[in-house]
Amino acid sequence: MEENKQYFSTQLLRWYRKERRDLPWRRSRNPYHIWVSEIMLQQTRVDTVIPYFNRFMDRFPTPQHLAEAPEEDVLKHWEGLGYYSRARNLQAAVREVVEQYGGVVPSNKKAVSSLKGVGPYTAGAILSIAYNQSEPAVDGNVMRVLSRYFCLEEDIAKPATRIGIESIAQELIPDGEAADFNQALMELGAMVCTPKSPSCLECPVTQLCLGRLEGRERELPVKTKAKKPKPVFRFAALIEGSGQHAGKVLVRQRPDTGLLARMWELPHIEVLDAAAWDMLALGKQEIEAALSEDGVKVKATEHVVGDAQHIFTHLIWNIRVLAAVALDEEYVTDRTSYKWVGAEEFESFVWPNVFRKLLTEYFIQSRN
């Protein structure tokens, strides 16, 4: 086992220093940059994150800039990455860093781990990559690599397994090499030891990989399947304005807390199931009744503008959009959660991806 560990660490570092990708957050040891990149990379591919990271850093180059920014501005620069609670938690934690630590990301494990939205992996990444401390940073890539290399059969979905793998990962870190070693582990999982088709012939540690030697590299790691997200069915209303609101669409802002908090959307309602989703007359009536409770008088139609889908971790929104017109356009004021939005103002609002796409298509078609 000791020979395997020594071989693994030596070969992995040698490979990484030759093959490492040039990523913008790797160009310094700035803990703020590393922190932001790790939050963005949660549930998101590297290629997707790069332009977002660069744009975010241009706008919020220091913790002070991010702490002082309006939340709407932060969300606008996050728009398209999804999982918006990440951005809110990041800003809340950065404000704590500015207030309590003078804008310097703490290098103390207890302090950094107490920040909002910073779990064991993110804390380990910050401490090891920015401060070169011998802390493990164990994510899905790392658990997959080590499960295969050491032929571990424990279920990686269980917290006890993660703790065990964190212990192994920490033992593997060579003295003074935590920053490169942890990034090398992540890189190997992302580029070579991939989930479905590991490239064993290209792997720097293939010679002593127990999973490969036993022919089990495609079986490992063991992981119980998560529950499939629940499908729900919704009707949305595309309410077009007339007169002084011609060319505009009526949208609403979501509540201050909960799913997609404070983001803008087309008004929509949930129906019972897929069968109800096919009943356009029902959708028309339900939309009119629900909006009437908000004081919004509309006449919906059974004309389907389009269908769309928004996938969350635990839910799948299936959205059918019906055309509608407002019966009383003047009730909408700055004191309500509803606004008339035209193509020229559209970009200044923060939208969930599904509604951004729908409205982008609508305004493009309107101009044509």
Side-chain angles (χ1 to χ4, degrees), residues 65-83:
H65 286 89
L66 182 56
E68 294 168 3
E71 182 182 278
E72 291 74 15
D73 194 10
V74 176
L75 293 179
K76 192 65 185 174
H77 282 77
W78 199 272
E79 189 177 47
L81 279 176
Y83 302 96

Side-chain angles (χ1 to χ4, degrees), residues 331-351:
Y331 74 91
V332 180
T333 72
D334 289 338
R335 295 188 300 276
T336 75
S337 58
Y338 288 81
K339 286 187 182 296
W340 290 104
V341 174
E344 67 283 354
E345 353 169 49
F346 170 68
E347 288 295 340
S348 64
F349 287 71
V350 182
W351 310 91

Side-chain angles (χ1 to χ4, degrees), residues 92 142 182 203-204 209-210 223-224 242 277 300 321 347 356 362 367:
V142 172
N182 280 349
C203 179
C209 175
L210 296 180
K223 183 180 182 181
T224 52
S242 61
W277 201 50
V321 185
E347 288 295 340
R356 179 180 179 82
Y362 168 78
R367 284 197 295 269

Side-chain angles (χ1 to χ4, degrees), residues 12-28:
L12 182 63
L13 279 172
R14 184 176 298 161
W15 168 82
Y16 176 69
R17 286 166 179 159
K18 180 181 178 183
E19 302 293 339
R20 59 181 286 174
R21 289 174 290 178
D22 179 22
L23 302 175
W25 47 88
R26 286 182 176 166
R27 295 170 188 166
S28 78

